[in-house]
Amino acid sequence: MRQNAWPYPAIVAHRGGGSLAPENTLAAIDKGAEFGHKMIEFDAKLSLDGEIFLLHDDTLDRTSNGWGVAGELSWEKLIMLDAGSWFGRPFANERLPLLEQVAARCRGYDMMANIEIKPTTGLAQETGRAVALAARALWQGMTPPLLSSFEYDALVAAKEAAPELARGYLLHEWIDDWQEKAEALQCVSLHFNHSILTQERVAAVKQAGLRILVYTVNDPRRAKTLLDWGVDAICTDRIDLIGPDFNA
Ligand code: G3P
Ligand code: CA
């Protein structure tokens, strides 16, 4: 068994398991559970009237039968959309899920959540605060979720609203002041696009006492290399190829 001080499962089902079911839906979370996954990543944002729901993009076009900016619609409009047919006919009944529905699924499956705060443009602080407060309330009695975001301001707001919830800062590109940023946010982890990492960079981040999650790794050989370098968690769409016991 590979030793790993990361307190969470090392394999994370990305967007619920987005290669086998429509991403960021309850069907995707069910699929992750079916394959035995114990940690799940998903994207959370605000509706116009302040409901927190799951969606990756700013707009509805790619993953639903709606169109335009999702955050400009109220929940009563969003709930009417078909969020599954784009992926395949068997998923035609899927709806955009509310965060509270996802929390109930995590409770039922005893699954840990990595909630990515994915604000509509211009709403970073508002979304960070709302998601952190909702996560604190909804995840009571469960393993607390890990909050993450590419948006620095969203994590600042999350830290102020619910400082006790762990935070991870997401990075598409390497930045030289990663340590200062992580310290300011009091992050437990940095979440990197795996393609920007080298063994030396992994060692430096680990030396600073931070954990490393990488996204989105769908090649088992690449996943193995990253784990050998000391990466703590792998976020994958290929929940079938990179299973929960992959690093055992
Ligand atoms: O949280 C890791 C990963 O999900 C970040 O990228 O674009 O898939 O949200 P993206
Ligand atoms: Ca994400």
Coordinates of all heavy atoms in Angstrom, one line a residue, residues 26-83:
L26 N -26.9 14.4 -10.8 CA -27.0 13.3 -9.9 C -26.7 12.0 -10.5 O -26.1 11.1 -9.8 CB -28.4 13.3 -9.3 CG -28.8 14.6 -8.5 CD1 -30.2 14.5 -8.0 CD2 -27.8 14.8 -7.3
A27 N -27.0 11.8 -11.8 CA -26.7 10.6 -12.5 C -25.2 10.4 -12.5 O -24.7 9.2 -12.3 CB -27.2 10.6 -13.9
A28 N -24.4 11.4 -12.6 CA -22.9 11.3 -12.6 C -22.4 10.9 -11.2 O -21.6 10.1 -11.1 CB -22.3 12.6 -13.1
I29 N -23.0 11.5 -10.2 CA -22.6 11.1 -8.9 C -23.0 9.7 -8.6 O -22.2 8.9 -8.0 CB -23.3 12.1 -7.8 CG1 -22.8 13.5 -8.1 CG2 -23.0 11.6 -6.4 CD1 -23.5 14.6 -7.3
D30 N -24.1 9.2 -9.0 CA -24.5 7.8 -8.9 C -23.5 6.9 -9.6 O -23.2 5.8 -9.1 CB -25.9 7.6 -9.5 CG -27.0 8.3 -8.6 OD1 -26.7 8.7 -7.5 OD2 -28.1 8.4 -9.2
K31 N -23.1 7.4 -10.7 CA -22.1 6.6 -11.5 C -20.8 6.5 -10.7 O -20.1 5.4 -10.6 CB -21.9 7.2 -12.9 CG -21.2 6.3 -13.9 CD -22.0 5.1 -14.2 CE -23.1 5.3 -15.2 NZ -23.8 4.0 -15.5
G32 N -20.3 7.6 -10.1 CA -19.1 7.6 -9.3 C -19.3 6.6 -8.2 O -18.3 5.8 -7.9
A33 N -20.4 6.6 -7.5 CA -20.6 5.7 -6.4 C -20.7 4.2 -6.9 O -20.1 3.3 -6.2 CB -22.0 6.0 -5.7
E34 N -21.3 4.0 -8.1 CA -21.4 2.6 -8.6 C -20.0 2.1 -8.8 O -19.8 0.9 -8.6 CB -22.1 2.7 -10.0 CG -22.4 1.5 -10.6 CD -23.1 1.7 -12.0 OE1 -23.9 2.7 -12.1 OE2 -22.7 1.0 -13.0
F35 N -19.0 2.9 -9.2 CA -17.6 2.4 -9.4 C -16.8 2.5 -8.1 O -15.6 2.3 -8.1 CB -17.0 3.2 -10.5 CG -17.3 2.8 -11.9 CD1 -18.5 3.1 -12.4 CD2 -16.5 1.9 -12.6 CE1 -18.9 2.7 -13.7 CE2 -16.9 1.4 -13.8 CZ -18.1 1.8 -14.4
G36 N -17.5 2.8 -7.0 CA -16.8 2.7 -5.7 C -16.1 3.9 -5.2 O -15.3 3.9 -4.3
H37 N -16.2 5.0 -6.0 CA -15.4 6.2 -5.6 C -15.9 6.8 -4.3 O -17.1 6.8 -4.0 CB -15.5 7.2 -6.8 CG -14.6 6.8 -7.9 ND1 -13.3 7.2 -8.0 CD2 -14.9 6.0 -9.0 CE1 -12.8 6.6 -9.1 NE2 -13.7 5.9 -9.7
K38 N -15.0 7.3 -3.5 CA -15.3 7.9 -2.2 C -15.0 9.4 -2.1 O -15.2 10.0 -1.1 CB -14.4 7.2 -1.1 CG -14.6 5.7 -1.0 CD -16.1 5.3 -0.9 CE -16.7 5.6 0.5 NZ -18.1 5.1 0.6
M39 N -14.6 10.0 -3.3 CA -14.5 11.4 -3.3 C -14.9 11.9 -4.7 O -14.6 11.3 -5.7 CB -13.0 11.9 -3.0 CG -12.8 13.4 -2.9 SD -11.2 13.7 -2.1 CE -11.3 15.5 -2.1
I40 N -15.6 13.0 -4.6 CA -16.2 13.5 -5.9 C -16.0 15.0 -6.0 O -16.0 15.7 -5.0 CB -17.7 13.2 -5.8 CG1 -18.3 13.2 -7.2 CG2 -18.5 14.1 -4.9 CD1 -19.6 12.4 -7.2
E41 N -15.7 15.4 -7.2 CA -15.5 16.9 -7.5 C -16.7 17.3 -8.3 O -17.2 16.6 -9.2 CB -14.2 17.1 -8.3 CG -13.8 18.5 -8.5 CD -14.3 19.2 -9.8 OE1 -15.0 18.5 -10.6 OE2 -14.0 20.4 -10.0
F42 N -17.2 18.6 -8.1 CA -18.2 19.2 -8.9 C -18.1 20.7 -8.8 O -17.4 21.2 -8.0 CB -19.6 18.6 -8.5 CG -19.9 18.8 -7.0 CD1 -20.4 19.9 -6.5 CD2 -19.6 17.7 -6.1 CE1 -20.6 20.1 -5.1 CE2 -19.9 17.8 -4.8 CZ -20.4 19.0 -4.3
D43 N -18.9 21.3 -9.7 CA -18.8 22.8 -9.9 C -20.1 23.4 -9.4 O -21.2 23.1 -9.9 CB -18.6 23.1 -11.4 CG -17.3 22.4 -11.9 OD1 -16.2 22.8 -11.5 OD2 -17.5 21.5 -12.7
A44 N -19.9 24.4 -8.5 CA -21.1 25.1 -7.9 C -21.2 26.6 -8.3 O -20.2 27.3 -8.2 CB -21.1 24.9 -6.4
K45 N -22.4 27.0 -8.6 CA -22.6 28.4 -8.9 C -24.0 28.9 -8.4 O -24.8 28.1 -8.0 CB -22.3 28.8 -10.4 CG -23.2 28.0 -11.4 CD -23.1 28.6 -12.8 CE -21.7 28.9 -13.3 NZ -20.9 27.7 -13.7
L46 N -24.2 30.2 -8.5 CA -25.5 30.8 -8.0 C -26.4 31.1 -9.2 O -26.0 31.6 -10.2 CB -25.2 32.1 -7.3 CG -24.5 32.1 -6.0 CD1 -24.2 33.6 -5.6 CD2 -25.5 31.5 -4.9
S47 N -27.7 30.8 -8.9 CA -28.8 31.3 -9.8 C -29.0 32.8 -9.5 O -28.5 33.3 -8.5 CB -30.0 30.5 -9.6 OG -30.6 30.8 -8.3
L48 N -29.8 33.4 -10.3 CA -30.1 34.8 -10.1 C -30.7 35.1 -8.8 O -30.5 36.1 -8.1 CB -31.1 35.3 -11.3 CG -31.5 36.7 -11.3 CD1 -30.2 37.6 -11.5 CD2 -32.5 37.0 -12.3
D49 N -31.5 34.1 -8.3 CA -32.2 34.3 -7.0 C -31.5 33.6 -5.9 O -32.1 33.3 -4.8 CB -33.7 33.9 -7.1 CG -33.9 32.5 -7.7 OD1 -32.9 32.0 -8.3 OD2 -35.0 32.0 -7.6
G50 N -30.2 33.3 -6.1 CA -29.4 32.8 -4.9 C -29.4 31.4 -4.6 O -28.9 31.0 -3.6
E51 N -30.0 30.5 -5.5 CA -29.9 29.1 -5.2 C -28.5 28.6 -5.7 O -28.0 29.1 -6.7 CB -31.0 28.3 -6.0 CG -32.4 28.7 -5.6 CD -32.7 28.1 -4.2 OE1 -32.0 27.3 -3.6 OE2 -33.7 28.6 -3.6
I52 N -28.0 27.6 -5.0 CA -26.7 27.1 -5.5 C -26.9 25.8 -6.2 O -27.5 24.8 -5.7 CB -25.7 26.8 -4.2 CG1 -25.6 28.2 -3.5 CG2 -24.4 26.3 -4.7 CD1 -24.9 28.0 -2.1
F53 N -26.4 25.7 -7.4 CA -26.6 24.5 -8.3 C -25.3 24.2 -9.0 O -24.4 24.9 -8.9 CB -27.8 24.8 -9.3 CG -27.5 25.8 -10.3 CD1 -27.1 25.4 -11.6 CD2 -27.5 27.2 -10.0 CE1 -26.8 26.4 -12.5 CE2 -27.2 28.1 -10.9 CZ -26.8 27.7 -12.2
L54 N -25.4 23.0 -9.6 CA -24.1 22.5 -10.3 C -24.1 22.8 -11.8 O -25.1 22.5 -12.5 CB -24.0 21.0 -10.1 CG -23.3 20.5 -8.8 CD1 -23.8 21.1 -7.6 CD2 -23.3 19.0 -8.7
L55 N -23.1 23.4 -12.2 CA -22.8 23.6 -13.7 C -21.4 24.0 -13.8 O -20.9 24.8 -13.0 CB -23.8 24.7 -14.2 CG -23.8 24.9 -15.7 CD1 -24.5 23.8 -16.4 CD2 -24.4 26.2 -16.1
H56 N -20.7 23.5 -14.9 CA -19.3 23.9 -15.1 C -19.2 25.3 -15.8 O -18.5 26.2 -15.4 CB -18.6 22.8 -15.9 CG -17.2 23.2 -16.2 ND1 -16.8 23.9 -17.3 CD2 -16.1 22.9 -15.6 CE1 -15.5 24.1 -17.3 NE2 -15.0 23.5 -16.3
D57 N -19.9 25.4 -17.0 CA -19.7 26.6 -17.8 C -20.5 27.8 -17.3 O -21.4 27.6 -16.5 CB -20.2 26.3 -19.2 CG -19.5 25.1 -19.9 OD1 -18.5 24.6 -19.3 OD2 -19.8 24.8 -21.0
D58 N -20.1 29.0 -17.7 CA -20.9 30.1 -17.4 C -22.2 30.0 -18.1 O -23.3 30.5 -17.6 CB -20.2 31.4 -18.0 CG -19.6 32.3 -16.9 OD1 -19.5 31.9 -15.8 OD2 -19.3 33.5 -17.2
T59 N -22.2 29.4 -19.3 CA -23.5 29.4 -20.1 C -24.1 28.0 -20.1 O -23.4 27.0 -19.8 CB -23.3 29.8 -21.5 OG1 -22.3 28.9 -22.1 CG2 -22.7 31.2 -21.6
L60 N -25.3 27.9 -20.4 CA -26.1 26.7 -20.4 C -25.9 25.8 -21.7 O -26.3 24.6 -21.7 CB -27.6 27.0 -20.2 CG -27.9 27.6 -18.9 CD1 -29.3 28.4 -19.0 CD2 -28.0 26.5 -17.8
D61 N -25.4 26.4 -22.7 CA -25.5 25.9 -24.0 C -24.9 24.5 -24.2 O -25.5 23.6 -24.9 CB -24.8 26.8 -25.1 CG -25.4 28.2 -25.0 OD1 -25.5 28.8 -23.9 OD2 -25.7 28.8 -26.0
R62 N -23.7 24.2 -23.6 CA -23.0 23.0 -23.9 C -23.7 21.8 -23.2 O -23.7 20.7 -23.7 CB -21.6 23.1 -23.5 CG -20.7 21.8 -23.7 CD -19.3 22.0 -23.4 NE -19.0 22.2 -22.0 CZ -18.9 21.3 -21.0 NH1 -18.9 20.0 -21.4 NH2 -18.7 21.6 -19.7
T63 N -24.2 22.0 -22.0 CA -24.6 20.8 -21.2 C -26.1 20.9 -20.8 O -26.5 20.3 -19.7 CB -23.7 20.7 -19.9 OG1 -23.8 21.9 -19.2 CG2 -22.3 20.4 -20.3
S64 N -26.9 21.6 -21.5 CA -28.3 21.5 -21.3 C -29.1 21.9 -22.6 O -28.4 22.3 -23.6 CB -28.7 22.4 -20.1 OG -28.9 23.8 -20.6
N65 N -30.4 21.9 -22.5 CA -31.1 22.4 -23.7 C -31.5 23.9 -23.5 O -32.3 24.4 -24.3 CB -32.4 21.6 -23.9 CG -33.4 21.7 -22.8 OD1 -33.0 22.1 -21.7 ND2 -34.6 21.2 -23.0
G66 N -30.8 24.5 -22.6 CA -31.0 26.0 -22.4 C -29.9 26.7 -23.1 O -29.0 26.1 -23.8
W67 N -29.9 28.1 -23.0 CA -28.9 28.8 -23.6 C -28.7 30.1 -22.8 O -29.5 30.5 -22.1 CB -29.2 29.2 -25.1 CG -30.5 29.9 -25.3 CD1 -31.7 29.3 -25.4 CD2 -30.7 31.3 -25.2 NE1 -32.7 30.2 -25.5 CE2 -32.1 31.5 -25.4 CE3 -29.9 32.4 -25.1 CZ2 -32.7 32.7 -25.4 CZ3 -30.5 33.7 -25.1 CH2 -31.9 33.8 -25.3
G68 N -27.5 30.7 -23.0 CA -27.2 32.0 -22.3 C -26.6 31.8 -21.0 O -26.3 30.6 -20.6
V69 N -26.4 32.9 -20.3 CA -25.7 32.8 -19.0 C -26.6 32.2 -17.9 O -27.6 32.8 -17.6 CB -25.2 34.3 -18.6 CG1 -24.5 34.2 -17.2 CG2 -24.2 34.8 -19.7
A70 N -26.1 31.1 -17.3 CA -27.0 30.4 -16.3 C -27.3 31.3 -15.1 O -28.4 31.3 -14.6 CB -26.3 29.2 -15.9
G71 N -26.3 32.1 -14.7 CA -26.5 32.9 -13.5 C -27.4 34.1 -13.7 O -27.8 34.8 -12.7
E72 N -27.9 34.3 -14.9 CA -28.9 35.3 -15.1 C -30.3 34.8 -15.1 O -31.3 35.6 -15.3 CB -28.6 36.0 -16.5 CG -27.3 36.8 -16.5 CD -27.0 37.4 -17.9 OE1 -27.7 37.1 -18.8 OE2 -25.9 38.1 -17.9
L73 N -30.5 33.5 -14.8 CA -31.8 32.9 -14.7 C -32.1 32.5 -13.3 O -31.3 32.1 -12.5 CB -31.9 31.7 -15.6 CG -31.8 31.8 -17.1 CD1 -31.9 30.5 -17.8 CD2 -32.7 32.9 -17.6
S74 N -33.4 32.6 -12.9 CA -33.9 32.2 -11.6 C -34.0 30.7 -11.6 O -34.1 30.0 -12.6 CB -35.2 32.8 -11.3 OG -36.2 32.4 -12.2
W75 N -34.1 30.1 -10.4 CA -34.1 28.7 -10.2 C -35.3 28.1 -10.9 O -35.3 27.0 -11.5 CB -34.0 28.3 -8.8 CG -34.0 26.8 -8.6 CD1 -34.9 26.0 -8.0 CD2 -33.0 25.9 -9.1 NE1 -34.6 24.7 -8.1 CE2 -33.4 24.6 -8.8 CE3 -31.8 26.1 -9.9 CZ2 -32.7 23.5 -9.2 CZ3 -31.1 24.9 -10.2 CH2 -31.6 23.6 -9.9
E76 N -36.5 28.8 -10.9 CA -37.7 28.2 -11.5 C -37.5 28.0 -13.0 O -38.1 27.1 -13.5 CB -38.9 29.0 -11.1 CG -39.1 30.3 -11.9 CD -40.4 31.0 -11.6 OE1 -41.2 30.4 -10.8 OE2 -40.6 32.1 -12.1
K77 N -36.6 28.8 -13.6 CA -36.3 28.6 -15.0 C -35.3 27.5 -15.2 O -35.4 26.6 -16.1 CB -35.8 29.9 -15.6 CG -36.8 31.0 -15.6 CD -37.5 31.1 -17.0 CE -38.6 32.1 -17.0 NZ -38.3 33.4 -16.5
L78 N -34.3 27.5 -14.4 CA -33.2 26.5 -14.5 C -33.7 25.1 -14.3 O -33.3 24.1 -14.9 CB -32.1 26.8 -13.5 CG -31.3 28.1 -13.8 CD1 -30.4 28.5 -12.6 CD2 -30.5 28.0 -15.1
I79 N -34.6 24.9 -13.3 CA -35.1 23.5 -13.0 C -35.8 22.9 -14.1 O -36.0 21.7 -14.2 CB -35.9 23.6 -11.7 CG1 -36.2 22.1 -11.2 CG2 -37.2 24.3 -11.8 CD1 -35.0 21.3 -10.9
M80 N -36.3 23.7 -15.0 CA -37.1 23.2 -16.2 C -36.2 22.5 -17.3 O -36.7 21.8 -18.1 CB -37.9 24.3 -16.8 CG -38.9 25.0 -15.9 SD -40.1 23.9 -15.2 CE -41.0 23.5 -16.6
L81 N -34.9 22.8 -17.2 CA -34.0 22.4 -18.3 C -33.7 20.9 -18.2 O -33.6 20.3 -17.2 CB -32.7 23.2 -18.2 CG -32.9 24.7 -18.4 CD1 -31.6 25.4 -18.2 CD2 -33.5 25.0 -19.8
D82 N -33.4 20.4 -19.4 CA -32.9 19.0 -19.6 C -31.4 19.1 -19.6 O -30.8 19.7 -20.5 CB -33.5 18.5 -20.9 CG -32.9 17.2 -21.3 OD1 -31.9 16.7 -20.7 OD2 -33.3 16.6 -22.4
A83 N -30.8 18.5 -18.5 CA -29.3 18.6 -18.4 C -28.7 17.2 -18.8 O -27.5 17.0 -18.4 CB -28.9 19.0 -17.0

